[in-house]
Amino acid sequence: MSDPAPQPVRTGDSDALSRWAAQAWTESAQAVLVDGTPGGGVRALLSAFESSGTGQTANIVRLSGRNGAAYPEFHALAELFAGAADPSGDIRRALELPAGNGSALHRKFRTLRFLLLSGLLREKNLVIVVEEAQWCDESSLRFFDFLLRCGRGERFLLVLCRRPEEPGTGSWALGQIGAQDRCHRWEVTAASPVDALAALPAQARTVATAVAVLDDQDVARVAALCGLPAGPVRIAIIRMRRENLFTGSVLDRSVRSRLLAETPADELACLHLRAARVLNDDARPAAEVAPHLGALPRLEESWMLDLALEAAAAAKTGGNPEAAVTHLTRAAATEPSRLDVRLALAAAHLSTNPQAAMAELTRAAAHAEDERDHCALAALYALAATAAGTSEAGGAAAAEGRAAAAAGGAASAQGGGAAATPGGRSAPANGAAIPLSDPSPLPASLGDLVDRLAAGSPAVPVAALAAAAATRDAARSLLRDRAVAAPRGSVRRADARDLAQRALGLALAGRSVEVAAACARAVVRLPVAAASSADLLAAGRTLRLVDDLPNAVRALDQAVAEAVVSGDRAALGRALAARYCALRESGDRDGALADVRVAALAGAGERPGVTVRGALAIALRDDDQLTAAEHMLRAVRPHELDDAPEERPLWLLGLARIRALRSDVDGALELLREAGRYQETGGVGNPVFAPWWFTATLLLAGTGRHREAAAYAERGHDLATGWPTGTARGLVLLGRGVAASGTRAVELLADAGRVLAASPCRVEYARAEYLLGKALTGVGDRKTARQHLRQAALLSACSGWRSIGALARELLEESGGRLRRPRADVLTLREREVAELVAGGASNRDVAGALFVSPRTVELHLTNVYRKLTVDSRAELAAALRGSRPAGTPKRTDGLAG
């Protein structure tokens, strides 16, 4: 027998059950077969009935269809009788009666019916609910069917809840019950929240619209928006909840869309305006107010523009550049002549759409007024061009920017007279107002860079240099933020210079590490543009000396950005040279090399300063170009050293290390002693600023003069007493270790390795690991030696310090070990791709086409690959990738050249 077609019933419709319950209690028993899910519509239907007036007077008995009772065949009936008193045991005996044949079953049913009529069924307003009835035992369901058929004097409502798509043991019996005329089959369907809107009275509908506009159910704010007292608003919101118009704590999305769509456009705009005022007056976050401003045709009031800018800043901080672009676009449309707004919009475009950023900057150029504005425009344009991957022959967007800047390009790039800017205004005559242009490519190698400087290369735009040097996200972010803040002017803090100079003075003197660090960090934490590039450079140098390398690099990033916005080439060169030294020391040789190249190009067209020459000489020395390195230092003029007295010890130390690499020990020692005397005379007591004593210790120990080496190590110990940083203590232990011998040397070098491992000085940590491995080999502990030599080789490969890496690998092989990973593992993913294509015979142009990059980018990656793998040709590269040793033996320095 097929079930009758179900009647659809809404989830919250309590009237249907109430109607049949009233009929069952006054006339005769009724049954309702409800199709639906227990956790969804069925449960909501029953809950609505229980909370109704009829349900509150009902005696509801809930039974579970799942079999878990002591009477498996009649478990639902046993659960029904469970609460009844049975002093004589009649109920127990009736449930245990046999039901093997039809007559026995009929006799058992009559007995159970009699017990029910004399007990539970005598109670008024009885409702029996069987949940998951499809799993109920068939015997109990057949009894309920019998109960409904045999008499009409019973007064109860039977509610059977089932899942029709989940057939169970009671499905057949449920079909029999459903065929009775007193059984009504329902299918519970969820009530549409949108349909419930029609039942709302006018005042509640007004409140609902206000809730939809605010997207918030706060009574006070909703009342302020719709202009009603709080009491009626609270009642309306309670009714909306009862009508299931909310999903959790927010208005149902379909209901909100319907309410907003049915509200006239002019009325909706008025509501959004009032909502923005209500939220703003309530000091809500800008991110909550801004969407209402976005619905307005214009930002008419001054506070609206400020709030849009605040919301954009919050979106940028929260990592949502798309929202920032939306808010800033509205602000730019309201005030098209505000340069700071247009720069902020271009900066927001940088990460997602650099072409749009370049187009915005081209439009913004018309509103630039002074040198700082032009420099900020140029810096952002260079960053955008870099992000877009344009080259000098770039795409259409870059061509548009260059065309707009063509009038002022030549004169400004040469640093000549007044240059016209993209906006047609005159720029200052010092060459700082750089036209919008693509970043200038860096030379492929240090040798090319030296040749370019010697040939009198023309000046390169400062902005292009800054973009080329911004190889890290943090550096790009700081440069972007500083450029955006440029039109607001620089409000220098008077205490910035005092803090920076006090920090550097204490650091050079080697006194009060904590005070020096606190002063320097205070400079770094100052607001944007509060400190000059020179102040930030001093703070960065101090933080490097106190082993706070992250803050040191951040300070130097800020110094670079400040120099760019100021258009100060000399300051840019000094900041980049200092950042090169910090990054090299930390092992980031790729970022360091980019900085030293850009620092050198910052002085193209004029003489590089002594700081830049010193950094370039270190890079050339690391690249085994000793002649070029010495020439770079010898080109420094005496008056330049007199003008920068703190640079003289570093200059002398650089010359000494070159002499040491040329095996001129006596000449190197003389320069080192001169550096020591100069520092002592000048009151420089910092052991790591220009560690002449450490280099002298290494040199003397390498020539067997251990007693003299030990004396210099103790000199370093005396200096480190007042400056006990990890790097200072590590260098002292390292110096004492190379001056000692046997097991004592092993102990000291092991201590040095542990201390330097916790310091930011990766170069000296690699040296300590190599020297420890060498000392362990000397005492016969080759197994432990191999561990430290392997670590030294890997550290050196990552940082690109070729001499230590080559020596460590050679000694590792001599001691019977090898690197557990191929040396090519130190390459980045892109470097590995380039290396494998080149090793397979592809030309640079072929590689560029395969990887969709420029040939120039391929050259830079290949330079890094050669350096990291210590190879000099494509044939050696192929051998290195196969894991074999490249041809040629590296130059030996025993790791003691300093």
Side-chain angles (χ1 to χ4, degrees):
M1 182 182 298
S2 62
D3 291 346
Q7 174 187 352
V9 178
R10 296 293 186 189
T11 299
D13 186 2
S14 62
D15 294 339
L17 270 180
S18 298
R19 183 172 61 254
W20 289 116
Q23 184 174 343
W25 298 337
T26 57
E27 298 179 11
S28 62
Q30 302 289 326
V32 178
L33 185 58
V34 183
D35 292 343
T37 59
V42 172
R43 188 164 296 167
L45 176 67
L46 294 175
S47 297
F49 170 69
E50 290 177 356
S51 61
S52 68
T54 303
Q56 290 177 1
T57 64
N59 177 23
I60 300 176
V61 179
R62 291 181 178 269
L63 307 178
S64 172
R66 294 288 179 179
N67 189 344
Y71 305 92
E73 291 188 359
F74 287 90
H75 75 85
L77 276 180
E79 190 176 351
L80 180 63
F81 281 108
D86 188 23
S88 60
D90 293 341
I91 296 176
R92 177 181 56 80
R93 285 190 294 273
L95 289 171
E96 293 176 350
L97 285 173
N101 53 48
S103 60
L105 181 63
H106 187 68
R107 187 165 50 251
K108 183 172 184 174
F109 280 179
R110 288 201 310 271
T111 303
L112 290 170
R113 177 174 177 265
F114 173 77
L115 292 172
L116 278 176
L117 287 173
S118 60
L120 187 64
L121 291 183
R122 295 177 63 184
E123 298 185 14
K124 294 182 178 180
N125 302 346
L126 179 64
V127 178
I128 301 173
V129 179
V130 183
E131 297 181 347
E132 295 188 279
Q134 75 274 12
W135 292 111
C136 186
D137 65 286
E138 185 176 318
S139 300
S140 295
L141 291 176
R142 289 179 66 182
F143 173 76
F144 288 132
D145 181 49
F146 168 80
L147 197 62
L148 287 170
R149 290 177 186 275
C150 69
R152 297 181 179 274
E154 293 81 359
R155 302 287 187 267
F156 70 93
L157 175 65
L158 177 65
V159 180
L160 301 167
C161 307
R162 71 170 179 178
R163 295 187 185 187
E165 75 282 358
E166 189 179 281
T169 56
S171 297
W172 181 85
L174 287 174
Q176 296 297 311
I177 295 174
Q180 293 200 42
D181 58 352
R182 282 190 289 169
C183 183
H184 316 280
R185 184 179 170 191
W186 294 347
E187 182 178 10
V188 178
T189 59
S192 170
V194 174
D195 295 339
L197 282 175
L200 291 180
Q203 189 176 75
R205 179 74 177 230
T206 301
V207 173
T209 303
V211 171
V213 171
L214 280 174
D215 204 12
D216 181 15
Q217 51 180 309
D218 180 83
V219 173
R221 288 193 283 272
V222 173
L225 178 58
C226 61
L228 292 172
V233 169
R234 185 176 294 106
I235 294 172
I237 291 176
I238 292 173
R239 174 161 185 170
M240 291 169 62
R241 292 197 189 101
R242 188 182 303 124
E243 297 292 344
N244 296 319
L245 299 186
F246 288 98
T247 302
S249 61
V250 298
L251 193 64
D252 183 86
R253 297 296 93 179
S254 61
V255 172
R256 183 171 187 265
S257 299
R258 174 66 66 86
L259 287 167
L260 296 179
E262 293 179 353
T263 305
D266 54 347
E267 181 181 344
L268 188 61
C270 182
L271 284 172
H272 278 296
L273 176 59
R274 290 169 61 186
R277 289 172 175 163
V278 167
L279 293 173
N280 188 54
D281 292 344
D282 202 23
R284 301 301 299 168
E288 289 186 26
V289 187
H292 298 288
L293 299 181
L296 304 179
R298 280 185 58 82
L299 305 182
E300 301 284 355
E301 303 172 23
S302 59
W303 66 268
M304 296 179 178
L305 180 62
D306 295 336
L307 191 137
L309 295 177
E310 183 182 345
K316 187 192 79 169
T317 304
N320 189 355
E322 293 82 4
V325 167
T326 300
H327 300 318
L328 289 167
T329 300
R330 292 299 314 281
T334 303
E335 292 283 351
S337 62
R338 278 191 59 169
L339 182 61
D340 60 332
V341 175
R342 290 200 170 275
L343 290 183
L345 176 57
H349 274 305
L350 275 178
S351 59
T352 57
N353 192 347
Q355 287 84 2
M358 289 189 284
E360 184 62 37
L361 289 167
T362 303
R363 291 189 290 270
H367 307 290
E369 296 181 352
D370 57 22
E371 171 186 339
R372 193 174 296 273
D373 293 348
H374 290 291
C375 289
L377 277 165
L380 286 175
Y381 191 90
L383 288 174
T386 302
T390 56
S391 62
E392 284 189 331
E400 178 185 352
R402 284 194 301 276
S412 181
Q414 296 294 338
T421 65
R425 303 176 189 273
S426 294
N430 62 359
I434 306 302
L436 305 185
S437 61
D438 294 327
S440 176
L442 297 179
S445 67
L446 291 171
D448 293 342
L449 176 60
V450 173
D451 293 341
R452 180 169 172 175
L453 294 176
S457 169
V460 180
V462 172
L465 292 173
T471 58
R472 293 171 294 106
D473 289 341
R476 285 191 292 272
S477 177
L478 283 169
L479 178 57
R480 179 198 63 205
D481 293 347
R482 181 64 188 95
V484 170
R488 298 195 292 270
S490 298
V491 182
R492 302 292 191 209
R493 285 277 294 269
D495 56 343
R497 174 60 55 89
D498 295 337
L499 286 170
Q501 293 303 319
R502 185 184 181 197
L504 187 57
L506 289 172
L508 291 178
R511 302 193 312 270
S512 303
V513 176
E514 294 79 6
V515 176
C519 291
R521 291 181 188 125
V523 175
V524 178
R525 288 193 297 265
L526 289 175
V528 174
S532 67
S533 181
D535 299 336
L536 292 163
L537 175 60
R541 284 181 160 179
T542 301
L543 291 167
R544 179 186 164 208
L545 293 174
V546 301
D547 282 357
D548 186 358
L549 200 60
N551 274 319
V553 174
R554 179 175 178 80
L556 295 171
D557 288 342
Q558 292 175 324
V560 168
E562 197 65 41
V564 170
V565 173
S566 302
D568 190 336
R569 294 177 181 276
L572 176 62
R574 289 191 295 271
L576 287 171
R579 196 170 71 181
Y580 158 77
C581 294
L583 294 177
R584 172 187 177 273
E585 186 177 86
S586 70
D588 182 9
R589 187 167 170 83
D590 292 343
L593 283 175
D595 276 356
V596 77
R597 290 171 179 167
V598 175
L601 288 177
E606 56 188 45
R607 284 183 55 80
V610 60
T611 306
V612 174
R613 286 185 177 275
L616 190 54
I618 294 174
L620 291 167
R621 189 189 74 216
D622 288 348
D623 203 38
D624 292 335
Q625 300 185 49
L626 301 183
T627 302
E630 184 170 12
H631 176 75
M632 186 63 60
L633 292 174
R634 292 294 183 189
V636 176
R637 295 171 180 172
H639 72 86
E640 292 176 321
L641 292 174
D642 294 337
D643 293 339
E646 72 279 1
E647 297 293 336
R648 186 181 292 274
L650 297 171
W651 178 77
L652 291 168
L653 182 61
L655 287 174
R657 285 173 171 171
I658 294 172
R659 292 271 184 95
L661 289 170
R662 287 177 166 169
S663 302
D664 183 4
V665 176
D666 292 336
L669 287 173
E670 180 58 35
L671 289 169
L672 292 171
R673 293 188 187 103
E674 183 180 350
R677 289 192 296 269
Y678 186 85
Q679 288 194 56
E680 185 175 359
T681 303
V684 177
N686 193 296
V688 294
F689 171 66
W692 60 273
W693 58 271
F694 177 67
T695 303
T697 302
L698 296 179
L699 276 177
L700 291 166
T703 56
R705 298 156 66 177
H706 291 88
R707 182 172 296 179
E708 294 178 69
Y712 279 108
E714 291 309 310
R715 179 70 178 276
H717 175 265
D718 294 340
L719 294 172
T721 301
W723 196 260
T725 62
T727 299
R729 291 185 293 109
L731 293 185
V732 170
L733 289 168
L734 191 54
R736 285 176 165 177
V738 297
S741 60
T743 56
R744 178 57 178 164
V746 170
E747 293 172 358
L748 289 168
L749 291 171
D751 289 342
R754 283 190 290 270
V755 173
L756 289 170
S759 78
C761 191
R762 299 293 88 187
V763 173
E764 298 305 337
Y765 175 38
R767 190 201 303 273
E769 289 292 306
Y770 165 70
L771 292 174
L772 177 56
K774 184 178 179 181
L776 286 166
T777 302
V779 298
D781 189 355
R782 290 176 173 265
K783 180 179 179 180
T784 308
R786 288 195 290 269
Q787 299 175 4
H788 294 283
L789 292 171
R790 192 176 290 113
Q791 177 71 0
L794 291 175
L795 282 169
S796 300
C798 292
S799 63
W801 209 25
R802 298 168 65 177
S803 57
I804 290 295
L807 289 167
R809 284 192 297 272
E810 182 176 336
L811 188 54
L812 179 62
E813 293 172 3
E814 290 177 0
S815 62
R818 62 183 178 84
L819 287 177
R820 290 174 182 166
R821 297 184 302 169
R823 285 180 296 141
D825 282 4
V826 301
L827 303 178
T828 65
L829 179 60
R830 180 63 80 180
E831 289 168 353
R832 179 79 192 202
E833 292 173 339
V834 170
E836 289 177 346
L837 290 172
V838 169
S843 67
N844 288 3
R845 190 171 295 278
D846 293 337
V847 175
L851 299 181
F852 301 100
V853 297
S854 68
R856 182 67 192 166
T857 301
V858 174
E859 291 177 10
L860 291 174
H861 284 312
L862 200 54
T863 300
N864 292 334
V865 169
Y866 279 16
R867 174 181 55 76
K868 289 183 178 181
L869 300 186
T870 64
V871 297
D872 297 312
S873 68
R874 295 180 180 235
E876 292 178 5
L877 173 60
L881 291 178
R882 290 194 301 269
S884 60
R885 185 178 175 183
T889 302
K891 179 179 178 180
R892 293 190 63 91
T893 64
D894 296 325
L896 299 172

